Amino acid sequence: MEKSLNCTGKTVEEAIEEGLKQLGVSKEEVEIEILEEGKARRIGKSVPAEVKLTVKEKEVPSSSESSSSDGARAVAFLQGLFQQLGEEVEPVLESEDEKIIINLQAESSKGIIGRRGEMIDAMQTLAGAVANTGRKNYKRVVVDFENYREHREETLQRVAEKFAAKAVRLGKKVRLEPMNPYERRIVHAALMNNPDVTTHSEGNEPARFVVITPKNIRYDKNRHGGRDNRGDRGGNNRYNNRDRNGSKPYPKRPLPKEETPQSSGTSLNRNSSYQRFFGSYLGNSRDEENNEE
């Protein structure tokens, strides 16, 4: 909806300045229409100048223009994604200097954040893939909703300090729940200057987790073999091949190899609207490979 204002002054310039002051905008942001140029008379009543100022509407970049901006392309992708999901959410590009920051605006957080941030993290990953398509140097993309990222970072820092204290108190390694790379970096950074512990990551994505190791870690006698389990010096311990009841020990079976997590049954049909939507942003690389063969 256009916002306009009529202003008067002794001259056209004075009328324009008064209108800009009332609207709180610059001269480049308005359209100026001169209604009366004004007349100064020595005899009789002077006629004041009158102008009409109309604030210009901000142009929304088209699909062709958005390709020149990585952030705008990511915003356009999220808009289409929310339309597919049937969610009334408006992504707004806040900044794209050092990193691209997109803030989501909605009346409710339902369907946006998800349990422990799974939904908003997935949106951030997809938006990052779209924004960095064709780029040589990766640019970080942050998708946020009502300062969720800031609150989550504070929570992770408290959790890191709490479990670090627990590891030192028990003298044992402490394993945290699986996290995405962004959250693992927060934990590592929170404990980087802690003189009592060290941190590292273990496991495979998406179940990769942080391990906190105390520097006063204790030697577990029962785990590594105590006096009763070492046997005699000649290695003829009668319990090497049989347990205390005389029966043969239960054979150890090799653990199954780690497999890639299978689909949960929500895979997209190649001819569905979802497939065409994602392909338009991320490219149909698989189809291109098949054509090359």
Side-chain angles (χ1 to χ4, degrees):
M1 184 176 181
E2 293 185 351
K3 186 177 181 181
S4 59
L5 179 68
N6 289 9
C7 292
T8 58
K10 293 181 179 180
T11 63
V12 172
E13 290 299 326
E14 287 184 4
I16 293 174
E17 290 180 5
E18 180 63 24
L20 295 176
K21 187 184 299 183
Q22 293 184 29
L23 292 173
V25 295
S26 62
K27 193 173 183 179
E28 291 75 16
E29 297 178 273
V30 296
E31 294 179 356
I32 302 173
E33 181 182 355
I34 300 175
L35 303 178
E36 177 63 52
E37 293 185 356
K39 296 178 181 179
R41 298 176 180 176
R42 294 182 178 179
I43 302 175
K45 188 176 181 180
S46 299
V47 178
E50 184 178 1
V51 296
K52 180 180 180 180
L53 304 182
T54 303
V55 179
K56 298 178 182 178
E57 293 185 357
K58 294 184 179 180
E59 297 182 357
V60 178
S62 61
S63 58
S64 59
E65 292 174 345
S66 63
S67 60
S68 60
S69 170
D70 300 325
R73 187 167 63 252
V75 167
F77 166 78
L78 289 175
Q79 288 175 338
L81 177 61
F82 287 122
Q83 290 178 0
Q84 294 280 347
L85 297 175
E87 298 286 346
E88 295 183 359
V89 182
E90 181 64 28
V92 178
L93 181 62
E94 299 290 343
S95 174
E96 54 179 335
D97 297 330
E98 297 181 358
K99 58 184 177 182
I100 297 172
I101 301 177
I102 301 174
N103 190 32
L104 304 180
Q105 297 181 353
E107 294 182 357
S108 173
S109 62
K110 184 180 180 181
I112 298 179
I113 296 178
R115 182 176 178 270
R116 295 181 179 175
E118 288 96 341
M119 284 293 294
I120 196 170
D121 287 343
M123 296 173 194
Q124 179 170 286
T125 300
L126 292 172
V130 171
N132 285 279
T133 301
R135 287 180 56 90
K136 294 183 179 180
N137 300 323
Y138 184 83
K139 195 169 188 177
R140 185 184 169 196
V141 176
V142 177
V143 178
D144 200 1
F145 175 74
E146 294 184 353
N147 294 326
Y148 165 78
R149 297 295 177 188
E150 181 179 351
H151 298 328
R152 179 61 174 166
E153 183 173 347
E154 293 174 355
T155 300
L156 289 174
Q157 290 173 347
R158 291 195 299 268
V159 169
E161 295 292 343
K162 175 182 176 181
F163 279 90
K166 179 180 178 180
V168 174
R169 185 177 70 254
L170 299 178
K172 296 180 180 180
K173 295 181 180 180
V174 175
R175 166 181 168 176
L176 275 61
E177 65 181 15
M179 300 178 185
N180 58 45
Y182 171 75
E183 294 186 341
R184 293 199 303 270
R185 283 195 294 268
I186 294 175
V187 175
H188 291 310
L191 300 178
M192 181 174 58
N193 297 324
N194 191 311
D196 300 321
V197 298
T198 59
T199 62
H200 68 279
S201 297
E202 293 182 3
N204 300 320
E205 298 291 358
R208 194 164 173 80
F209 54 90
V210 175
V211 177
I212 303 176
T213 305
K215 295 182 179 179
N216 66 335
I217 188 168
R218 300 171 186 172
Y219 180 77
D220 191 341
K221 184 183 295 185
N222 294 327
R223 181 180 178 183
H224 298 282
R227 184 179 183 86
D228 295 336
N229 297 326
R230 285 199 299 267
D232 56 18
R233 295 182 180 179
N236 295 323
N237 190 343
R238 61 178 177 175
Y239 297 114
N240 286 342
N241 296 322
R242 294 180 180 273
D243 61 12
R244 296 181 183 273
N245 296 324
S247 60
K248 291 184 178 180
Y250 190 81
K252 295 182 179 180
R253 297 181 180 178
L255 295 174
K257 296 181 179 179
E258 294 184 356
E259 299 289 344
T260 302
Q262 299 298 321
S263 172
S264 61
T266 58
S267 58
L268 302 178
N269 189 341
R270 294 178 61 83
N271 296 323
S272 67
S273 60
Y274 289 97
Q275 177 69 17
R276 293 193 297 271
F277 171 71
F278 284 101
S280 64
Y281 284 93
L282 302 178
N284 297 319
S285 58
R286 183 177 299 176
D287 295 338
E288 294 175 358
E289 293 177 358
N290 295 334
N291 294 333
E292 290 178 358
E293 293 178 358

